């Protein structure tokens, strides 16, 4: 980029938009680019299919993309580790590779797609016993615990903390998984706000509530879990809701990674970005998906659908920056098709006010999700002779 050698392009995190960058690099290799991708592990787990995985509709290899293979096909270097700091002045990212070791990786351009953490999960009263789901690799641990509880049998008391779309889907998937294993369940979905599924229409919420009720899941609102114990979730008045598995699925907050970078952040710690997906303060730093907040559209939900749409814009933006051209502008779409897997062979769909709880909606969701996965899984399949 400075004319002295290849551009060192560092991708941090294997989020959705970075999968697209890897795919494009495989299809259209860029000259004079030295690619490194840092991520926690070799797989990207696709959240849209997580509830289906928990209830055994999908196997892990159906919901995961092998990122290491994509990086190899894109002629890059994969580096396993957790990014823990960003030093814009030194053009370097600090990456923890073991409890004792932090290495510094230099860059000319860096892009972050590290997703988000879950609010409150690191509090000392919670962290020890709550089952986390972020980073998404953790879903395999949740899957294993559900299996184990299902095998023990009897009635399994469980709590899901957070009544957003993910909380509702995971509660329904847990019910389905335990029922499949022959166990009974007593699942409580706990939401601190006045309503579950905030941001959705009243009609959609009513429908979701009725589905939860039919499946034996109790939804409690205006209730805050303050501590998690091995046998219960404790709420603000000191009462304990019996629970052998408490899954923590509250709202998105940033990993601490950007905290000391000196760059402008939003109030949840996410990097503030311009319409070309770059830090508002440093055009060599990009952030996509949950970890970047658009300064022009700060209310954009932290959802995978936006992360996916940002992929092609990031590709063009990186290429324009390397070529010294004008990068494109990203405008988030208004609203999106919501389909919640209800764990009973059906899904609850909301598209512009049309609401349907049906097998048809499930088939549509399954088709969309499988198509997304094929896009990246097929990139790394061995070529046919
Ligand atoms: C159960 C569940 C279901 C959901 N369903 C949907 C849905 O149907 N539709 C939808 O739009 N949204 C859904 N979401 C929200 C969605 O998961 C997130 O918005 C989305 O995953 C964000 O994508 P991303 O590309 O920003 O990052 P992610 O997909 O979270 O990927 C982040 C990547 O970065 C890596 N990483 C994390 N931290 C570091 C670090 N410090 N250093 C290096 N690498 C790191 C991780 O290993 C991972 O590879 C769901 C969420 C959950 C929990």
């Amino acid at each position: 980029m400075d004319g002295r050698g290849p551009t060192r392009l560092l991708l941090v995190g294997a989020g959705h938009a970075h999968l697209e960058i890897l795919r494009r690099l495989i299809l259209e290799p860029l000259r004079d680019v030295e690619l490194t991708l840092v991520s926690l592990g070799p797989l990207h787990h696709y959240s849209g299919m997580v509830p289906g995985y928990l209830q055994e509709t999908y196997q892990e290899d159906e919901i995961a993309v092998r990122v290491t293979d994509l990086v190899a096909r894109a002629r890059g270097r994969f580096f396993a580790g957790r990014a823990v700091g960003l030093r814009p002045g030194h053009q370097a990212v600090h990456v923890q590779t073991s409890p004792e070791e932090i290495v510094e990786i230099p860059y000319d351009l860096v892009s972050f797609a590290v997703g988000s953490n879950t609010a409150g999960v690191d509090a000392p009263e919670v962290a020890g016993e709550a089952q986390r789901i972020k980073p998404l690799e953790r879903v395999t641990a949740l899957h294993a615990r559900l299996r184990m509880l299902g095998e023990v049998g009897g009635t399994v008391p469980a709590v899901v903390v957070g009544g957003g779309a993910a909380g509702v889907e995971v509660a329904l998937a847990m019910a389905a998984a335990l029922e499949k294993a022959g166990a009974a369940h007593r699942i409580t979905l706990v939401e601190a706000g006045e309503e579950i599924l905030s941001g959705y229409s009243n009609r959609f919420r009513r429908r979701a509530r009725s589905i939860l009720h039919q499946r034996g899941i109790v939804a409690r609102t205006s209730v805050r879990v303050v501590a998690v114990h091995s046998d219960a979730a404790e709420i603000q008045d000191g009462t304990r809701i019996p629970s052998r598995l408490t899954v923590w699925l509250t709202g998105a907050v940033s990993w601490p990674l950007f905290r000391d970078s000196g760059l402008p952040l939003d109030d949840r710690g996410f990097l503030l970005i311009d319409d070309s997906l770059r830090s508002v303060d440093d055009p060599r730093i990009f952030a996509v998906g949950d970890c970047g907040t658009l300064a022009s559209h700060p209310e954009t939900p932290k959802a995978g659908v936006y992360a996916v749409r940002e992929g092609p814009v990031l590709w063009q933006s990186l290429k324009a920056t390397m070529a010294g051209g004008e990068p494109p502008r990203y405008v988030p779409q208004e609203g999106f098709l919501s389909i919640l897997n209800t764990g009973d062979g059906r899904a609850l769909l909301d598209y512009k006010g049309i609401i349907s709880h049906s097998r048809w909606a499930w088939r549509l969701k399954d088709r969309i999700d499988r198509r997304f996965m094929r896009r990246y899984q097929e990139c790394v399949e061995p070529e046919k002779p």
Side-chain angles (χ1 to χ4, degrees):
M1 229 170 85
D2 54 9
R4 276 183 279 135
T7 302
R8 294 166 302 175
L9 172 61
L10 177 58
L11 303 180
V12 183
H16 299 73
H18 284 177
L19 297 183
E20 184 61 17
I21 299 304
L22 295 173
R23 192 180 78 87
R24 300 275 179 131
L25 281 168
I26 293 169
L27 297 174
E28 185 192 329
L30 296 182
R31 288 178 56 201
D32 298 328
V33 170
E34 194 181 280
L35 170 72
T36 303
L37 185 137
V38 176
S39 201
L40 302 179
L43 300 177
H44 165 99
H45 291 83
Y46 175 48
S47 61
M49 293 169 94
V50 159
Y53 165 64
L54 295 177
Q55 73 199 39
E56 314 271 351
T57 307
Y58 306 120
Q59 301 297 308
E60 189 187 2
D61 62 358
E62 292 177 280
I63 69 150
V65 176
R66 190 159 285 282
V67 179
T68 41
D69 291 352
L70 274 180
V71 176
R73 289 288 298 270
R75 299 179 193 286
R77 179 173 71 120
F78 179 82
F79 201 92
R82 176 186 296 276
V84 290
L86 166 62
R87 299 285 169 269
H90 293 91
Q91 288 185 227
V93 173
H94 288 176
V95 177
Q96 182 136 32
T97 53
S98 72
E100 300 81 33
E101 193 184 30
I102 292 181
V103 298
E104 187 170 280
I105 305 191
Y107 64 81
D108 295 310
L109 290 179
V110 62
S111 174
F112 291 90
V114 290
S116 53
N117 193 6
T118 316
V121 74
D122 294 320
E125 311 75 33
V126 172
E129 293 294 340
Q131 176 67 54
R132 31 166 93 234
I133 223 167
K134 299 285 191 80
L136 284 158
E137 304 51 2
R138 296 294 179 100
V139 295
T140 54
L142 172 56
H143 182 258
R145 279 187 77 182
L146 272 174
R147 268 209 167 164
M148 195 261 292
L149 289 168
E151 275 162 20
V152 172
T155 298
V156 178
V159 167
V160 175
V161 184
V168 169
E169 270 194 310
V170 167
L172 288 163
M174 285 166 57
L178 291 168
E179 283 159 16
K180 219 174 217 173
H185 56 82
R186 211 163 59 234
I187 299 174
T188 310
L189 178 70
V190 181
E191 164 58 42
E194 284 176 8
E195 256 306 345
I196 61 165
L197 293 169
S198 128
Y200 287 81
S201 69
N202 284 335
R203 278 176 58 225
F204 189 77
R205 276 207 285 264
R206 271 201 304 277
R207 206 59 191 272
R209 268 193 172 274
S210 131
I211 294 165
L212 288 166
H213 180 72
Q214 282 161 19
R215 302 293 304 285
I217 297 168
V218 177
R220 295 185 62 181
T221 51
S222 303
V223 171
R224 185 174 292 278
V225 173
V226 294
V228 179
H229 309 283
S230 58
D231 59 353
E234 185 179 332
I235 61 174
Q236 73 265 39
D237 65 3
T239 317
R240 291 178 174 222
I241 306 173
S243 175
R244 278 161 54 202
L245 171 61
T246 300
V247 183
W248 199 268
L249 265 173
T250 53
V253 293
S254 178
W255 304 110
L257 157 64
F258 304 122
R259 202 168 44 201
D260 300 322
S261 67
L263 295 172
L265 310 178
D266 76 358
D267 56 4
R268 290 173 291 172
F270 296 119
L271 205 64
L272 269 184
I273 52 169
D274 66 16
D275 292 347
S276 300
L277 310 175
R278 305 169 300 190
S279 159
V280 291
D281 223 29
D282 189 331
R284 291 164 303 192
I285 299 172
F286 295 74
V288 278
D290 283 6
C291 72
T293 292
L294 282 166
S296 60
H297 296 82
E299 305 305 330
T300 306
K302 299 295 179 190
V305 290
Y306 295 95
V308 169
R309 294 277 180 100
E310 286 175 354
V313 183
L314 176 65
W315 171 246
Q316 298 300 341
S317 208
L318 287 170
K319 282 206 308 184
T321 306
M322 287 184 229
E326 189 61 30
R329 295 164 72 94
Y330 165 72
V331 181
Q333 77 264 30
E334 279 175 30
F336 54 91
L337 168 69
S338 279
I339 317 183
L340 305 190
N341 176 353
T342 51
D344 54 357
R346 291 184 286 174
L348 179 60
L349 170 147
D350 181 1
Y351 185 62
K352 296 187 176 170
I354 299 167
I355 292 172
S356 162
H357 182 217
S358 57
R359 292 189 188 285
W360 165 82
W362 161 252
R363 282 197 297 274
L364 178 65
K365 176 170 172 53
D366 179 56
R367 213 166 34 237
I368 294 171
D369 288 340
R370 284 185 190 273
R371 192 175 56 204
F372 175 80
M373 293 305 286
R374 266 201 309 277
R375 207 173 157 79
Y376 302 104
Q377 289 169 332
E378 281 175 359
C379 282
V380 291
E381 273 172 10
E383 280 163 28
K384 297 197 175 76

